[in-house]
Amino acid sequence: MKKILYIVAVAAAVAACTVQKTPEGTGMLSLTAAQEGVYATKANDVLADFVVDIVRPSDGWTKHYDRYIDIPQTISLGSGDYTITVASPQFRNAAWDLPYYKGTADFTIRVDELTPVNVTASLQNMKVSFVLTDNFKNELTSYTIVVTNASSWDASDAASKTLTWSSATGDVEQTAGYFSVAPLRVKVDGYRAIDNSETHSELVIPNVAAQDYHIITLDARVTGQMNGISITIDPSLNDRESSVEVPGWDEVPVDGGNDPDPEPDPGPGPDPQPATAPTMTWASNPEFARTPIRSEMDVNITINAQEGIRDFVIDVDSSILGGVIAGMGGESNSDGTVKMDLINNASLVTALGNLGVPTGDQLKDKTEVEFSLSNLVPMILMYSPASGSEHTFTLKVTDNKSQSLEKAIVFYVE
């Protein structure tokens, strides 16, 4: 019995030593930090105010400094492996004038040695600002511009990931927003000066990265019939462009007889440069209206992409077909939809090709495609779906210039 107690006691002592073990001997750390990707000196952008955290992973020991400028020239640390992080004091997914910088480095402290460590804190988020043309300012009496990096406008976290610019503030072009890295959605709503009619347009910027600076130009063109609001991305600090075609207003006729000195007709102006962004047309359903599911359907959509198709993805929101597509190799999205990558997913390319859906080389780099879902959508009826249930297919096309177009089609069971 005494022998057993002795063994237990020794085991406990060894375990205690293992848990409470501390580094043997000390060394010194000398830290130098720098910034990378600086836009301007604003709030959260001053290196002296960055926070510093030192962590020893082996036992979870930590040391925190509220300000980089307050760190001593050398720091005494126990020997061992460490990770140091230098970061801006504040982080938000969306905020005004709040760039966020962060950098990390791993290092080892050896007994009686001085270890110099250099850390670069690079910009981790993206900057967004707007340029308004004179046409835009003159044609719209009021407008709001909303930008979010949430997965959708009605996502549960959209409020913390959204910023709104408004004509009411008068400083739209002087105010920049910063967003954590995720695809951006831009929505513009406005009222026309001549008749107070509304306009609405949206743009999705899917390909984004830290340190991107998206300068978004809003324009309203007047050429007999207004083409609405044109949104483009100035690639000053990134090499990708995006654009969107916006439905416009019919020009409101004005009685020239009331003008004692009408301006002479200047004649036709120069031809506008043709838009190259992708387009989708559905001959049997031009408005892409909500469509009942039947055993025989005409879901044949013409896709034009003058720059050539780079990516083609469909997100499927269907309690029935989603599971079927997942079984074919489709990827699950965080919002519960299933992603069909029609070019890069080899399993889906084969499976959907057998259903008459263009995939792979039938899409890649093509400038015009007759895209059909006529065989795929009716499959929903094979699983006895509930009457009134809805099944949404969101088509996302991106060309070789990173110009994107997104169309959602809602099918329902009668």
Side-chain angles (χ1 to χ4, degrees):
M1 184 64 176
K2 289 183 179 180
K3 184 177 181 181
I4 294 174
L5 290 175
Y6 173 76
I7 294 173
V8 171
V10 170
V14 171
C17 291
T18 302
V19 173
Q20 298 172 7
K21 182 179 179 180
T22 58
E24 297 179 0
T26 61
M28 304 298 290
L29 165 69
S30 173
L31 172 65
T32 302
Q35 281 174 273
E36 180 182 68
V38 179
Y39 287 136
T41 302
K42 293 185 178 291
N44 224 47
D45 196 19
V46 180
L47 178 59
D49 294 330
F50 283 14
V51 298
V52 178
D53 288 287
I54 303 172
V55 178
R56 187 166 58 216
S58 62
D59 60 0
W61 179 91
T62 63
K63 178 72 172 177
H64 174 81
Y65 293 91
D66 287 334
R67 302 174 71 222
Y68 168 65
I69 198 172
D70 295 332
I71 294 179
Q73 288 187 340
T74 58
I75 304 170
S76 177
L77 297 173
S79 61
D81 296 327
Y82 293 81
T83 297
I84 190 166
T85 301
V86 178
S88 300
Q90 297 182 64
F91 168 79
R92 294 177 190 165
N93 283 304
W96 304 111
D97 291 330
L98 198 68
Y100 178 70
Y101 298 83
K102 183 179 180 181
T104 63
D106 296 328
F107 64 95
T108 299
I109 293 293
R110 296 180 175 85
V111 177
D112 297 331
E113 290 186 12
L114 176 64
T115 302
V117 176
N118 298 314
V119 179
T120 299
S122 59
L123 192 69
Q124 301 296 305
N125 52 5
M126 309 178 295
K127 184 178 181 180
V128 174
S129 66
F130 290 91
V131 175
L132 311 181
T133 67
D134 289 339
N135 279 342
F136 182 89
K137 296 174 185 177
N138 293 335
E139 287 298 320
L140 299 179
T141 55
S142 63
Y143 53 85
T144 58
I145 307 162
V146 185
V147 181
T148 187
N149 61 359
S151 58
S152 67
W153 292 110
D154 56 356
S156 59
D157 59 351
S160 64
K161 296 183 176 182
T162 301
L163 296 177
T164 301
W165 287 254
S166 171
S167 57
T169 64
D171 59 354
V172 169
E173 292 180 284
Q174 289 74 48
T175 305
Y178 286 81
F179 294 84
S180 55
V181 179
L184 291 170
R185 299 173 184 271
V186 183
K187 180 166 61 176
V188 182
D189 299 310
Y191 292 87
R192 193 182 183 204
I194 193 170
D195 60 359
N196 207 40
S197 57
E198 298 182 25
T199 181
H200 308 282
S201 57
E202 293 191 21
L203 167 68
V204 177
I205 307 173
N207 300 314
V208 295
Q211 302 188 33
D212 278 354
Y213 183 8
H214 300 282
I215 303 173
I216 304 176
T217 300
L218 303 184
D219 187 22
R221 300 173 184 167
V222 186
T223 54
Q225 283 191 336
M226 286 196 66
N227 291 327
I229 300 171
S230 173
I231 303 178
T232 58
I233 302 300
D234 183 336
S236 299
L237 294 180
N238 66 20
D239 58 0
R240 296 182 295 275
E241 295 183 41
S242 299
S243 63
V244 62
E245 290 296 314
V246 181
W249 303 284
D250 290 336
E251 191 68 17
V252 176
V254 177
D255 186 357
N258 295 329
D259 187 349
D261 187 21
E263 292 291 330
D265 184 359
D271 292 336
Q273 293 298 311
T276 64
T279 62
M280 296 185 195
T281 55
W282 186 358
S284 63
N285 186 2
E287 303 300 324
F288 285 75
R290 189 168 173 267
T291 302
I293 303 174
R294 297 192 172 93
S295 57
E296 294 186 3
M297 300 183 69
D298 176 4
V299 190
N300 297 298
I301 299 168
T302 301
I303 298 173
N304 285 288
Q306 295 185 33
E307 306 297 338
I309 296 173
R310 187 186 73 198
D311 297 303
F312 196 138
V313 171
I314 301 179
D315 288 339
V316 180
D317 185 0
S318 170
S319 57
I320 292 174
L321 204 53
V324 176
I325 294 170
M328 296 178 180
E331 304 172 38
S332 297
N333 294 321
S334 59
D335 60 358
T337 62
V338 177
K339 172 183 173 182
M340 298 196 302
D341 187 334
L342 303 184
I343 293 179
N344 302 304
N345 187 317
S347 298
L348 283 175
V349 166
T350 300
L352 294 175
N354 294 331
L355 294 173
V357 179
T359 57
D361 292 339
Q362 296 173 309
L363 299 173
K364 182 67 173 177
D365 295 324
K366 301 299 182 185
T367 57
E368 182 174 339
V369 174
E370 294 299 323
F371 186 77
S372 178
L373 294 174
S374 301
N375 294 331
L376 181 62
V377 175
M379 287 180 61
I380 295 172
L381 297 178
M382 297 169 54
Y383 298 89
S384 303
S387 177
S389 62
E390 293 189 344
H391 310 266
T392 302
F393 290 67
T394 303
L395 282 60
K396 302 177 180 179
V397 178
T398 303
D399 67 16
N400 288 316
K401 279 192 173 182
S402 295
Q403 300 178 115
S404 299
L405 177 64
E406 181 174 320
K407 285 278 191 181
I409 310 174
V410 178
F411 300 97
Y412 67 96
V413 178
E414 295 180 304

